[in-house]
Amino acid sequence: MMSDQHVHVIAGVDTHGQTHHAAVIDSLGRHLADREFPATGSGYRQLLSWLGGHGTVQAVGVEGTGACQDNCVSFG
């Protein structure tokens, strides 16, 4: 989703052992997209690139516990 207008987005990531599921909403709370990524270095890079492709990321909320969340948060 790219347009001539500057879009601010907010993301949420639900962390799991093997995968992370991310969702993106716009500043009005409208769902833009969601996608699952592998919980690997390559998957984290894909997730960050995918998020940035939807606009300027204003905030990211991460749901999870322990190492699954720690790995995802420390990557970015």
Side-chain angles (χ1 to χ4, degrees), residues 2 5 25 28 32-33 36 41 43 46 49 51 53 57 62 66 68 70 73 75:
M2 296 305 287
Q5 297 180 349
I25 62 173
L28 297 176
L32 300 178
E36 187 173 80
Q46 291 171 28
S49 176
L51 288 177
V57 179
V62 179
C68 297
D70 293 344
V73 172
F75 185 81

Side-chain angles (χ1 to χ4, degrees), residues 7-75:
V7 178
H8 291 102
V9 297
I10 301 166
V13 180
D14 189 8
T15 61
H16 302 282
Q18 300 297 313
T19 62
H20 297 328
H21 193 97
V24 181
I25 62 173
D26 67 13
S27 59
L28 297 176
R30 296 177 293 202
H31 177 265
L32 300 178
D34 63 274
R35 185 172 160 194
E36 187 173 80
F37 297 88
T40 63
S42 174
Y44 299 143
R45 286 187 291 279
Q46 291 171 28
L47 190 155
L48 290 172
S49 176
W50 178 80
L51 288 177
H54 292 282
T56 301
V57 179
Q58 297 297 297
V60 178
V62 179
E63 178 183 5
T65 59
C68 297
Q69 177 179 334
D70 293 344
N71 289 340
C72 182
V73 172
S74 66
F75 185 81

